Amino acid sequence: MMHGPLPDRDDPVDAAARHGLAAALDRVLAVLNSIIVVLAALALVAACAILSYSVLSRALFKAANYWQDEAAVFLLVGATFMTAAYVQQNRGHIGIEAFVGLLSPLANRIRLWLVDAVTLLFCAFFTWKSWTLTHEAYVDGQVSNSMWSPPLAIPYGLMALGMSLLCVQIIVQLALPFTGAKRR
């Protein structure tokens, strides 16, 4: 386990200060991700409130709660997938850094680029599948099996949109080193 900045993040050149498509996309994604994080935080608070209401209404008033669990799950799915690009942007994901100290700076940059490239391939496949699920759910009018029966296109769409943003974020991070910017 390492504490402090990782070698690939030392003295980062602010990509937003650079010109070009990758830098512009990086700035747009940073603003969009900041907005999404605030909305996701509100979604988490709403999910907590809904689940608390569910428990209290069931315990105190023996009230039926057929919608609360699904509403909370939809909010949690949305918050999780929509903030994936923010986590990637800030390199907040869990990474195994056992090789960082053993490899040269050039080898580390290559390793990080290759990891991002493989990650992009996986995320692109996941994005494609999420969009096909969203389309199927929307076209077929699929709903959940509960009494409330909300459309399944909602969580699938949030998954697809969040994964699409994650793919764009990874593409920008793959492109930035070629523009002269250091990795963040």
Side-chain angles (χ1 to χ4, degrees):
M1 172 187 281
M2 291 184 70
H3 297 284
L6 297 174
D8 67 314
R9 292 186 235 172
D10 290 343
D11 302 322
V13 174
D14 187 10
R18 296 195 175 272
H19 303 291
L21 180 61
L25 263 173
D26 192 46
R27 287 190 301 270
V28 169
L29 282 172
V31 171
L32 184 61
N33 286 336
S34 297
I35 293 168
I36 289 171
V37 164
V38 171
L39 294 175
L42 292 173
L44 291 176
V45 170
C48 289
I50 288 170
L51 290 174
S52 297
Y53 166 77
S54 172
V55 169
L56 287 175
S57 67
R58 191 175 343 137
L60 298 177
F61 308 113
K62 308 289 188 238
N65 56 359
Y66 54 87
W67 64 271
Q68 290 93 337
D69 290 342
E70 269 183 322
V73 167
F74 280 27
L75 289 167
L76 292 172
V77 166
T80 301
F81 282 96
M82 292 301 293
T83 57
Y86 174 83
V87 173
Q88 178 67 27
Q89 178 186 35
N90 292 294
R91 298 287 182 181
H93 56 279
I94 296 173
I96 299 172
E97 300 296 336
F99 295 112
V100 172
L102 300 174
L103 298 175
S104 70
L106 175 62
N108 268 325
R109 284 194 301 274
I110 293 169
R111 176 189 61 85
L112 288 169
W113 196 88
L114 288 173
V115 167
D116 281 350
V118 171
T119 301
L120 177 61
L121 291 175
F122 171 78
C123 289
F125 174 76
F126 196 107
T127 301
W128 171 68
K129 285 306 287 179
S130 296
W131 281 115
T132 58
L133 283 172
T134 302
H135 182 262
E136 284 177 21
Y138 181 76
V139 169
D140 296 344
Q142 295 175 5
V143 296
S144 71
N145 292 337
S146 72
M147 190 181 234
W148 182 36
S149 301
L152 289 175
I154 294 171
Y156 293 159
L158 290 170
M159 266 185 358
L161 186 58
M163 291 305 293
S164 297
L165 285 172
L166 178 58
C167 285
V168 172
Q169 182 67 53
I170 295 170
I171 289 168
V172 167
Q173 287 178 330
L174 284 169
L176 281 175
F178 294 109
T179 65
K182 289 188 181 180
R183 296 178 63 91
R184 286 202 282 171

